[in-house]
Amino acid sequence: MADKIVPHFHNDPGVAAIAIGARRFMCIGAKPPFDHPHVFLDMGTDNEIVCPYCSTLYKYDATLHGFEARPPECALEESRAA
């Protein structure tokens, strides 16, 4: 049913905010096996959103591509494979 892969991001480094290149994405909290339930987040027209599970602040950055994050280690590489 899904025609697109949804980017996944995590906050293993414990940073205050993560800049991402997607407005619709999944937050997993930390890398497995310490991840929380994978939450689909949609910023809509806003430029930031807070994950209700881990309180990570995500900020949209149009200079990044959909699967990119700043810091880059917060992008889950496995979400690109399919």
Side-chain angles (χ1 to χ4, degrees):
M1 286 231 248
D3 61 341
K4 296 181 182 177
I5 298 171
V6 177
H8 288 58
F9 301 99
H10 63 84
N11 195 4
D12 259 4
V15 295
I18 300 171
I20 60 173
R23 290 186 187 271
R24 299 171 70 193
F25 62 96
M26 300 287 275
C27 176
I28 67 167
K31 287 184 179 178
F34 304 107
D35 50 336
H36 63 52
H38 297 196
V39 182
F40 180 78
L41 299 173
D42 187 345
M43 290 185 199
T45 58
D46 293 336
N47 288 320
E48 58 186 45
I49 195 167
V50 175
C51 176
Y53 275 91
C54 64
S55 300
T56 296
L57 174 62
Y58 289 96
K59 295 184 175 187
Y60 177 70
D61 184 338
T63 65
L64 298 171
H65 294 286
F67 288 88
E68 292 181 324
R70 190 176 312 113
E73 61 270 19
C74 292
L76 188 67
E77 291 298 319
E78 290 83 14
S79 68
R80 293 184 192 219

